[in-house]
Amino acid sequence: GEDVEQSLFLSVREGDSSVINCTYTDSSSTYLYWYKQEPGAGLQLLTYIFSNMDMKQDQRLTVLLNKKDKHLSLRIADTQTGDSAIYFCAESMRTGGFKTIFGAGTRLFVKA
Amino acid sequence: DTEVTQTPKHLVMGMTNKKSLKCEQHMGHRAMYWYKQKAKKPPELMFVYSYEKLSINESVPSRFSPECPNSSLLNLHLHALQPEDSALYLCASSHSPPPDNEQFFGPGTRLTVL
């Protein structure tokens, strides 16, 4: 299947950590990505992880991959109001030629 | 130059019009993509060009016609569109063709079909 699922909303207080979760179904996925989209804008690649890794850290961002459970998470430390956006989980998979499948997106609200 | 640019930013067209969306990148990327994004939905892949050749067409109606005149430019020609085609059209590029899908997105063209 080609499903990538995410919860639709997350609300956190400024300074707290945010954890956005994603599940995917295709075990042939090679890369898994997190994109950020601010209102009226295109998507910005935040970070990605190769499917043979289980963790990647990049400044305030930590990606955890549980390949057995097909679960991906993005942790944002010290969340700021500027982090308010929609976060899309995506997987690159082989299906008649590689393509990227996006989840529905998680809207992150950061309260001051 | 590390960005993908798209023109126009907004486009309103009638169902009988012919228009084109343009996308440009000067990062030396060899793969370029068109996506369609409806409100509150994820982007849906339409086309992928690898080394200026169409490699993926996601069964997009023929009223959308992509063109890749060179490695830096990607066009999407529009003709006889329907109101349900109104959406944000996103262009993206990546250094290498899939599966290396680290894609850089443009800001999009917001299309309204009357």
Side-chain angles (χ1 to χ4, degrees):
Chain A
E2 299 184 357
D3 288 339
V4 177
E5 294 190 356
Q6 303 176 237
S7 52
L8 293 181
F9 299 100
L10 176 65
S11 179
V12 300
R13 291 189 187 281
E14 192 174 21
D16 287 352
S17 292
S18 308
V19 180
I20 303 172
N21 295 302
C22 169
T23 57
Y24 60 98
T25 55
D26 198 298
S27 56
S28 72
S29 295
T30 53
Y31 291 89
L32 294 137
Y33 304 86
W34 284 104
Y35 285 89
K36 175 184 180 183
Q37 187 175 34
E38 297 187 38
L43 277 71
Q44 175 196 354
L45 178 66
L46 290 177
T47 187
Y48 66 93
I49 190 167
F50 191 52
S51 57
N52 69 354
M53 298 168 63
D54 50 24
M55 187 181 96
K56 181 177 180 182
Q57 186 152 3
D58 183 0
Q59 298 182 333
R60 292 192 296 126
L61 306 178
T62 303
V63 179
L64 294 177
L65 175 60
N66 181 327
K67 199 169 181 184
K68 173 176 167 289
D69 295 338
K70 299 189 181 69
H71 182 267
L72 183 74
S73 68
L74 173 70
R75 179 176 180 269
I76 306 173
D78 188 26
T79 313
Q80 303 297 307
T81 54
D83 295 324
S84 294
I86 300 175
Y87 290 81
F88 290 98
C89 166
E91 61 171 341
S92 173
M93 50 187 285
R94 184 194 294 273
T95 168
F98 287 94
K99 65 180 183 181
T100 304
I101 304 296
F102 289 84
T106 298
R107 187 176 293 273
L108 175 65
F109 296 95
V110 181
K111 296 176 284 190
Chain B
D1 190 349
T2 57
E3 63 175 4
V4 176
T5 58
Q6 290 187 243
T7 55
K9 191 168 182 176
H10 299 277
L11 178 63
V12 179
M13 61 187 288
M15 290 190 282
T16 58
N17 293 157
K18 283 186 182 181
K19 296 286 184 183
S20 296
L21 309 185
K22 296 186 184 303
C23 174
E24 192 165 358
Q25 56 87 15
H26 295 287
M27 295 178 279
H29 288 178
R30 301 314 303 269
M32 296 185 77
Y33 311 76
W34 279 116
Y35 287 86
K36 173 182 177 180
Q37 187 179 24
K38 301 282 275 185
K40 299 189 191 315
K41 296 289 187 185
E44 295 176 6
L45 183 67
M46 300 173 73
F47 303 104
V48 180
Y49 272 83
S50 297
Y51 297 100
E52 296 145 60
K53 291 193 187 325
L54 184 65
S55 60
I56 294 180
N57 176 343
E58 290 289 293
S59 303
V60 179
S62 59
R63 57 186 185 268
F64 295 91
S65 174
E67 179 199 16
C68 189
N70 60 56
S71 60
S72 299
L73 292 174
L74 184 67
N75 298 321
L76 185 63
H77 302 298
L78 313 172
H79 174 56
L81 294 194
Q82 304 296 310
E84 60 263 29
D85 296 321
S86 298
L88 181 68
Y89 287 84
L90 293 164
C91 173
S93 69
S94 61
H95 182 263
S96 305
D100 180 7
N101 268 347
E102 185 180 348
Q103 294 176 40
F104 293 78
F105 281 79
T109 293
R110 188 159 298 281
L111 174 68
T112 303
V113 181
L114 301 177

